Amino acid sequence: MKPGRFIAIVGPSGVGKDTVMEAICARNCDILRVRRVITRNADAGGEDAEAVTPEVFEARVQRGDFALHWQAHGLRYGIPASVDAALKAGRDVLANLSRAVLPELATRFDRPVIVLLTATPQVLAARLSTRGRESAEEQVNRLKRADFKLAEGLNPIVIRNDGTLDSTVDAFTAALQPERA
């Protein structure tokens, strides 16, 4: 049996990664959405993640509980090692990753796929403002980092998310067809 693909979605804050991931998985129940572990307060809102303290997170790192882990925006993020079993069973998994961990993704998994979700600066600014998780200063800082480059040789699939959600999901689904795998 061919192993599943680790589909990593990356993009700037406010581009709609969580919304697109939810819609992708609703349309294709064969794709497993990975629930990240984050050192963020459970009441902070945003994605459905497992909130843990920094101490618990570090203990889990030491036990080898994560397939990938990284730090960004003052928080630590982890992808549970349980993804290995799903991939081995031939199931595709979908996770929101930081661009900083992509080189490790490319060496850690047999069939990585990177999807770079983009949108115009105006769309990003509006979405950041609407979600209300960051202060005005934090929003400005996130927008400054929005036009980022990925490490050399990663070859992402680039999908624009400044139209309808359905059109984004259609483009995402078409890009993941087996001939692209």
Side-chain angles (χ1 to χ4, degrees), residues 39-83:
T39 58
R40 180 184 335 189
N41 185 314
D43 298 331
E47 72 181 275
D48 176 26
E50 180 184 350
V52 299
T53 65
E55 296 77 19
V56 167
F57 191 96
E58 183 56 32
R60 291 178 69 176
V61 167
Q62 296 306 315
R63 282 195 312 264
D65 289 354
F66 298 121
L68 296 169
H69 62 90
W70 66 95
Q71 186 167 338
H73 311 296
L75 301 171
R76 294 185 74 187
Y77 297 80
I79 300 297
S82 59
V83 300

